[in-house]
Amino acid sequence: MNKSKKVFFFVFGIASGFLLVGLISGSIFIFYKFGSYVLNMCDSYSQNKKGSYVSKFIPGSRISFEYQNELKMFEQAESSMLWDEKFAMNGKYSLLIEFPAGTNYPGIFFDVMGKNCLNWKGMKALSCEVLGDPDFTAKITLKFKSGAKYPKRSFEKEFTILPKTLVKIIVTKEELAKHLDLENISYMKLFIETPASTYRLHLDNIELS
């Protein structure tokens, strides 16, 4: 093989290699963009779905856990929740939440973004009723955040719940307004920091007056 042919095949090989690398890179990029698009669509659908349930929680409303849709507005964080008929404080049902021993910040929460944020400017107070575990005392925390996107402003308040004790928890508008944008409430969580023993709490009558 003469020198010119060797040069030709050498150049052709390099060009083919670059072309192959380009095709592979292009395919990866297309798959990446398509995957990102699908994930964003799913996340947007999930946010809108959650938002449709959470959006009903506005001043003047009450969650008494009499309907399945009221459970759908909350997500579980290292916890479990179920309808319970034994200790309903209003109506037929309450929500039984189990906080497993040794887990970090178990509880229930909602978390929305953007247009799904809630306007609580017209509120006076948020209240709920809880019935403590029959065997243990616990410190439970209600945490709130505001903002349509990150970073969000936050506020939390701690309550001590004695065994077999019915407690009405109240967080006032003044408390929230010092720390949050009441026109863009986007997060609420009820949790125990790290329970030493598995703790069971009944929750009912979450009211935004």
Side-chain angles (χ1 to χ4, degrees):
M1 184 181 293
N2 59 39
K3 186 175 181 180
S4 61
K5 287 184 177 181
K6 289 181 178 179
V7 171
F8 169 78
F9 284 115
F10 176 74
V11 173
F12 179 78
I14 292 175
S16 298
F18 277 117
L19 179 61
L20 183 61
V21 170
L23 288 172
I24 293 172
S25 300
S27 299
I28 292 173
F29 178 74
I30 291 170
F31 278 117
Y32 168 77
K33 295 296 287 185
F34 179 73
S36 298
Y37 172 77
V38 171
L39 288 174
N40 288 334
M41 287 292 290
C42 290
D43 184 60
S44 177
Y45 174 80
S46 176
Q47 277 288 327
N48 289 332
K49 192 68 175 176
K50 285 190 294 183
S52 68
Y53 298 119
V54 177
S55 65
K56 299 178 177 62
F57 192 42
I58 56 176
S61 62
R62 173 191 286 184
I63 302 169
S64 56
F65 301 107
E66 298 300 302
Y67 307 100
Q68 281 281 0
N69 281 354
E70 293 177 321
L71 273 69
K72 291 178 180 178
M73 70 177 286
F74 293 104
E75 297 182 57
Q76 300 165 75
E78 301 292 337
S79 66
S80 63
M81 62 181 185
L82 55 87
W83 262 352
D84 192 84
E85 297 184 25
K86 292 181 181 179
F87 298 105
M89 289 151 256
N90 182 64
K92 188 176 180 180
Y93 298 101
S94 65
L95 186 67
L96 173 60
I97 309 169
E98 184 173 285
F99 306 80
T103 53
N104 293 320
Y105 306 101
I108 63 169
F109 70 100
F110 70 73
D111 186 9
V112 294
M113 301 285 283
K115 64 180 182 180
N116 293 316
C117 290
L118 303 173
N119 187 342
W120 286 3
K121 189 176 180 180
M123 71 173 287
K124 296 179 181 177
L126 181 140
S127 63
C128 63
E129 293 175 293
V130 299
L131 180 64
D133 186 281
D135 301 313
F136 306 105
T137 296
K139 290 183 178 181
I140 67 170
T141 302
L142 263 177
K143 184 171 185 175
F144 305 86
K145 294 181 183 180
S146 68
K149 58 184 180 180
Y150 293 105
K152 297 184 176 186
R153 297 160 63 183
S154 67
F155 167 76
E156 58 186 60
K157 186 174 181 179
E158 189 178 84
F159 304 86
T160 298
I161 311 298
L162 300 175
K164 299 181 182 179
T165 303
L166 179 63
V167 178
K168 186 167 185 177
I169 289 173
I170 299 175
V171 181
T172 66
K173 177 180 181 177
E174 289 71 26
E175 289 176 298
L176 294 176
K178 287 179 183 179
H179 306 276
L180 306 177
D181 174 7
L182 293 182
E183 295 186 31
N184 283 288
I185 298 296
S186 56
Y187 178 96
M188 182 176 78
K189 183 177 182 180
L190 184 150
F191 67 91
I192 298 176
E193 187 170 335
T194 308
S197 303
T198 296
Y199 187 84
R200 294 172 180 85
L201 180 83
H202 284 85
L203 172 67
D204 208 354
N205 298 329
I206 307 175
E207 185 173 6
L208 196 62
S209 59

